[in-house]
Amino acid sequence: MKPRISIIGTGQIAEFHVPAINSAGFQIVSCCGSPNSKKAPIFAQKHNIPKVFDDADSLISDSNNWDAVLICSSVETTFQILNKCLETKKQILVEKPVTTNPSDFLSLPRKLNNVFVA
């Protein structure tokens, strides 16, 4: 069985990540864009992603149905979404930059072995 990954953010950089995710042997199981995004359903249809959520919170709440998550949302929302994803204890790939505020990093746990920044 392929590892299952979800994507938060359906903008241009997500388009770049999809072929890499597929080549790495992952199955993309869900995605979401900005709250109530009109683009997310189009992105999902284009890439044969079976489940589309209205917002990141709903996708994160569905963490029993994915093994890893790619966060490629707007910079303004990335750090907040990362904090919520950390609660899942799943593998997390974050598109850079994680934040524009260096002091945000002080609030993170010391060891983040499950977080990778691309």
Side-chain angles (χ1 to χ4, degrees), residues 23-69:
S23 291
F26 284 81
Q27 175 187 3
I28 304 171
V29 295
S30 62
C31 69
C32 72
S34 300
N36 300 307
S37 168
K38 290 179 174 42
K39 184 174 181 180
I42 296 166
F43 178 87
Q45 183 177 14
K46 177 180 178 182
H47 297 292
N48 298 313
I49 301 170
K51 203 173 208 180
V52 181
F53 289 93
D54 288 333
D55 56 50
D57 289 343
S58 299
L59 184 145
I60 295 165
S61 293
D62 191 54
S63 66
N64 288 336
N65 292 309
W66 47 264
D67 306 307
V69 64

Coordinates of all heavy atoms in Angstrom, one line a residue, residues 23-69:
S23 N 6.0 10.6 -8.1 CA 7.2 9.9 -8.5 C 7.8 9.2 -7.2 O 8.5 8.2 -7.3 CB 8.2 10.9 -9.1 OG 7.8 11.3 -10.3
A24 N 7.6 9.8 -6.1 CA 8.1 9.3 -4.8 C 7.3 8.1 -4.3 O 7.6 7.5 -3.3 CB 8.2 10.4 -3.7
G25 N 6.2 7.8 -5.0 CA 5.4 6.7 -4.6 C 4.3 6.9 -3.6 O 3.7 6.0 -3.1
F26 N 3.9 8.2 -3.4 CA 2.8 8.5 -2.5 C 1.5 8.5 -3.3 O 1.5 8.8 -4.5 CB 3.0 9.9 -1.9 CG 4.0 9.9 -0.8 CD1 5.4 10.0 -1.1 CD2 3.6 9.9 0.6 CE1 6.3 10.0 0.0 CE2 4.6 9.9 1.6 CZ 5.9 10.0 1.3
Q27 N 0.4 8.3 -2.6 CA -0.9 8.5 -3.1 C -1.5 9.8 -2.5 O -1.6 9.9 -1.3 CB -1.8 7.3 -2.7 CG -3.2 7.4 -3.1 CD -4.1 6.3 -2.6 OE1 -3.6 5.4 -1.8 NE2 -5.3 6.3 -3.0
I28 N -1.9 10.7 -3.3 CA -2.5 12.0 -2.8 C -4.0 11.7 -2.6 O -4.7 11.3 -3.5 CB -2.3 13.1 -3.8 CG1 -0.8 13.3 -4.1 CG2 -2.9 14.4 -3.2 CD1 -0.6 14.3 -5.2
V29 N -4.4 11.7 -1.3 CA -5.7 11.3 -0.9 C -6.7 12.5 -0.7 O -7.9 12.3 -0.7 CB -5.7 10.4 0.3 CG1 -5.1 9.1 0.0 CG2 -5.1 11.1 1.5
S30 N -6.2 13.7 -0.4 CA -7.0 14.8 -0.2 C -6.2 16.1 -0.3 O -5.0 16.1 -0.3 CB -7.7 14.8 1.2 OG -6.7 14.8 2.2
C31 N -7.0 17.2 -0.4 CA -6.4 18.5 -0.5 C -7.4 19.6 -0.1 O -8.6 19.3 0.1 CB -6.0 18.8 -2.0 SG -7.3 19.1 -3.1
C32 N -6.9 20.8 0.2 CA -7.7 21.9 0.4 C -7.0 23.2 0.0 O -5.7 23.2 -0.1 CB -8.1 22.0 1.9 SG -6.8 22.5 3.0
G33 N -7.7 24.2 -0.3 CA -7.1 25.5 -0.6 C -7.5 26.5 0.6 O -7.7 26.0 1.7
S34 N -7.5 27.7 0.2 CA -8.0 28.7 1.2 C -9.5 28.3 1.6 O -10.1 27.6 0.8 CB -8.0 30.1 0.6 OG -6.7 30.4 0.2
P35 N -10.0 28.8 2.7 CA -11.3 28.5 3.1 C -12.3 28.7 1.9 O -12.4 29.8 1.3 CB -11.6 29.4 4.3 CG -10.3 29.6 4.9 CD -9.3 29.7 3.7
N36 N -13.1 27.6 1.7 CA -14.1 27.6 0.6 C -13.5 28.0 -0.8 O -14.2 28.6 -1.6 CB -15.3 28.6 1.0 CG -15.9 28.1 2.2 OD1 -16.3 27.0 2.4 ND2 -16.0 29.0 3.2
S37 N -12.3 27.6 -1.0 CA -11.6 27.8 -2.3 C -12.4 27.3 -3.5 O -12.9 26.1 -3.5 CB -10.2 27.2 -2.3 OG -9.6 27.2 -3.5
K38 N -12.5 28.1 -4.5 CA -13.1 27.6 -5.8 C -12.0 26.8 -6.6 O -12.3 26.0 -7.5 CB -13.6 28.8 -6.6 CG -14.8 29.4 -6.0 CD -15.3 30.5 -6.8 CE -16.6 31.2 -6.4 NZ -17.0 31.4 -5.1
K39 N -10.7 27.1 -6.3 CA -9.7 26.5 -7.1 C -9.4 25.0 -6.6 O -9.0 24.2 -7.4 CB -8.4 27.3 -6.9 CG -7.3 26.8 -7.8 CD -6.0 27.7 -7.7 CE -5.0 27.0 -8.6 NZ -3.8 27.8 -8.7
A40 N -9.6 24.7 -5.3 CA -9.3 23.4 -4.8 C -10.0 22.3 -5.5 O -9.4 21.3 -5.9 CB -9.5 23.4 -3.3
P41 N -11.3 22.4 -5.8 CA -12.0 21.3 -6.5 C -11.4 21.1 -7.9 O -11.3 20.0 -8.4 CB -13.4 21.7 -6.6 CG -13.6 22.7 -5.5 CD -12.3 23.4 -5.3
I42 N -11.0 22.2 -8.6 CA -10.4 22.1 -9.9 C -9.1 21.4 -9.8 O -8.8 20.5 -10.7 CB -10.3 23.5 -10.6 CG1 -11.7 24.1 -10.7 CG2 -9.5 23.4 -11.9 CD1 -11.7 25.6 -11.0
F43 N -8.3 21.8 -8.9 CA -7.0 21.1 -8.6 C -7.2 19.6 -8.4 O -6.4 18.8 -8.9 CB -6.3 21.8 -7.4 CG -5.0 21.3 -7.0 CD1 -3.8 21.7 -7.6 CD2 -4.9 20.3 -6.0 CE1 -2.6 21.3 -7.3 CE2 -3.6 19.8 -5.7 CZ -2.5 20.3 -6.3
A44 N -8.1 19.3 -7.5 CA -8.4 17.9 -7.2 C -8.8 17.1 -8.4 O -8.3 16.0 -8.6 CB -9.4 17.8 -6.1
Q45 N -9.6 17.7 -9.2 CA -10.1 16.9 -10.4 C -8.9 16.7 -11.4 O -8.8 15.7 -11.9 CB -11.2 17.7 -11.1 CG -11.8 17.0 -12.3 CD -13.0 17.7 -12.9 OE1 -13.2 18.9 -12.6 NE2 -13.7 17.1 -13.8
K46 N -8.1 17.8 -11.6 CA -7.0 17.7 -12.5 C -6.0 16.6 -12.1 O -5.4 15.9 -12.9 CB -6.3 19.1 -12.5 CG -5.1 19.1 -13.4 CD -4.4 20.5 -13.4 CE -3.1 20.5 -14.2 NZ -2.5 21.8 -14.2
H47 N -5.8 16.4 -10.8 CA -4.8 15.5 -10.3 C -5.4 14.2 -9.7 O -4.7 13.5 -9.0 CB -3.9 16.2 -9.2 CG -3.2 17.3 -9.8 ND1 -2.2 17.2 -10.7 CD2 -3.3 18.7 -9.6 CE1 -1.7 18.3 -11.1 NE2 -2.4 19.3 -10.4
N48 N -6.7 14.0 -9.9 CA -7.4 12.8 -9.5 C -7.3 12.6 -8.0 O -7.0 11.5 -7.5 CB -6.9 11.5 -10.2 CG -7.1 11.6 -11.7 OD1 -8.2 11.9 -12.1 ND2 -6.1 11.3 -12.5
I49 N -7.5 13.6 -7.2 CA -7.5 13.6 -5.8 C -8.9 13.4 -5.3 O -9.8 14.2 -5.6 CB -6.9 14.9 -5.2 CG1 -5.4 15.1 -5.7 CG2 -6.9 14.9 -3.7 CD1 -4.8 16.4 -5.4
P50 N -9.2 12.3 -4.6 CA -10.6 12.0 -4.3 C -11.3 12.8 -3.3 O -12.5 12.9 -3.4 CB -10.5 10.5 -3.8 CG -9.1 10.4 -3.3 CD -8.2 11.3 -4.2
K51 N -10.6 13.5 -2.4 CA -11.3 14.2 -1.3 C -10.8 15.7 -1.3 O -9.6 15.9 -1.3 CB -11.0 13.6 0.0 CG -12.0 13.8 1.1 CD -11.7 12.9 2.3 CE -12.9 12.5 3.0 NZ -12.6 11.7 4.2
V52 N -11.8 16.6 -1.3 CA -11.5 18.0 -1.2 C -12.2 18.6 0.1 O -13.4 18.4 0.3 CB -12.0 18.8 -2.4 CG1 -11.7 20.3 -2.3 CG2 -11.5 18.2 -3.7
F53 N -11.4 19.3 0.9 CA -11.9 19.9 2.1 C -12.1 21.4 1.9 O -11.4 22.0 1.1 CB -11.0 19.6 3.3 CG -11.0 18.2 3.7 CD1 -10.1 17.3 3.2 CD2 -11.9 17.8 4.6 CE1 -10.1 16.0 3.6 CE2 -12.0 16.4 5.0 CZ -11.1 15.5 4.5
D54 N -13.0 22.0 2.7 CA -13.3 23.4 2.5 C -12.2 24.3 3.2 O -12.1 25.5 2.9 CB -14.6 23.8 3.2 CG -15.8 23.3 2.3 OD1 -15.6 23.2 1.1 OD2 -16.8 23.0 2.9
D55 N -11.4 23.7 4.1 CA -10.4 24.4 4.9 C -9.4 23.5 5.5 O -9.6 22.3 5.5 CB -11.0 25.3 5.9 CG -11.9 24.6 6.9 OD1 -11.4 23.5 7.4 OD2 -13.0 25.0 7.1
A56 N -8.3 24.1 5.9 CA -7.2 23.3 6.5 C -7.6 22.5 7.8 O -7.2 21.4 8.0 CB -6.0 24.1 6.8
D57 N -8.4 23.2 8.6 CA -8.8 22.5 9.9 C -9.6 21.2 9.6 O -9.3 20.2 10.3 CB -9.7 23.5 10.7 CG -8.9 24.6 11.3 OD1 -7.7 24.6 11.4 OD2 -9.6 25.6 11.7
S58 N -10.4 21.2 8.6 CA -11.2 20.0 8.3 C -10.3 18.9 7.7 O -10.4 17.8 8.1 CB -12.3 20.3 7.2 OG -13.2 21.3 7.7
L59 N -9.3 19.3 6.9 CA -8.3 18.3 6.4 C -7.5 17.8 7.5 O -7.3 16.6 7.6 CB -7.5 19.0 5.3 CG -6.5 18.1 4.6 CD1 -6.3 18.5 3.2 CD2 -5.1 18.0 5.3
I60 N -7.0 18.6 8.4 CA -6.2 18.2 9.6 C -7.0 17.2 10.5 O -6.5 16.2 10.9 CB -5.6 19.4 10.3 CG1 -4.7 20.1 9.4 CG2 -5.0 18.9 11.6 CD1 -4.3 21.5 10.0
S61 N -8.3 17.5 10.6 CA -9.2 16.7 11.5 C -9.3 15.3 10.9 O -9.7 14.3 11.6 CB -10.5 17.3 11.6 OG -10.4 18.5 12.4
D62 N -9.1 15.1 9.6 CA -9.2 13.9 8.9 C -7.8 13.1 8.9 O -7.6 12.2 8.0 CB -9.6 14.1 7.4 CG -10.0 12.9 6.7 OD1 -10.9 12.1 7.2 OD2 -9.5 12.7 5.6
S63 N -6.9 13.4 9.8 CA -5.6 12.8 9.8 C -5.5 11.3 9.9 O -4.5 10.7 9.6 CB -4.7 13.5 10.9 OG -5.2 13.1 12.1
N64 N -6.6 10.7 10.3 CA -6.6 9.2 10.4 C -6.6 8.6 9.0 O -6.3 7.4 8.8 CB -7.8 8.7 11.1 CG -7.7 8.9 12.6 OD1 -6.6 9.1 13.1 ND2 -8.9 9.0 13.3
N65 N -6.9 9.4 8.0 CA -6.9 9.0 6.6 C -5.7 9.4 5.7 O -5.8 9.2 4.5 CB -8.2 9.4 5.9 CG -9.4 8.8 6.6 OD1 -9.5 7.5 6.7 ND2 -10.4 9.5 7.0
W66 N -4.7 9.9 6.4 CA -3.5 10.2 5.7 C -2.3 10.0 6.6 O -2.4 10.0 7.8 CB -3.5 11.6 5.1 CG -3.9 12.8 5.9 CD1 -5.1 13.3 5.9 CD2 -3.1 13.6 6.8 NE1 -5.1 14.4 6.8 CE2 -3.9 14.6 7.4 CE3 -1.8 13.5 7.2 CZ2 -3.5 15.5 8.3 CZ3 -1.3 14.4 8.2 CH2 -2.1 15.4 8.7
D67 N -1.1 9.8 5.9 CA 0.1 9.4 6.6 C 1.1 10.6 6.7 O 2.0 10.6 7.6 CB 0.8 8.3 5.9 CG -0.1 7.1 5.8 OD1 -0.6 6.6 6.8 OD2 -0.2 6.6 4.6
A68 N 0.9 11.5 5.8 CA 1.8 12.7 5.7 C 1.0 13.9 5.1 O 0.0 13.7 4.5 CB 3.0 12.4 4.9
V69 N 1.5 15.1 5.3 CA 0.9 16.3 4.8 C 1.9 17.2 4.2 O 3.0 17.3 4.7 CB 0.0 17.0 5.9 CG1 0.9 17.5 7.0 CG2 -0.9 18.0 5.3

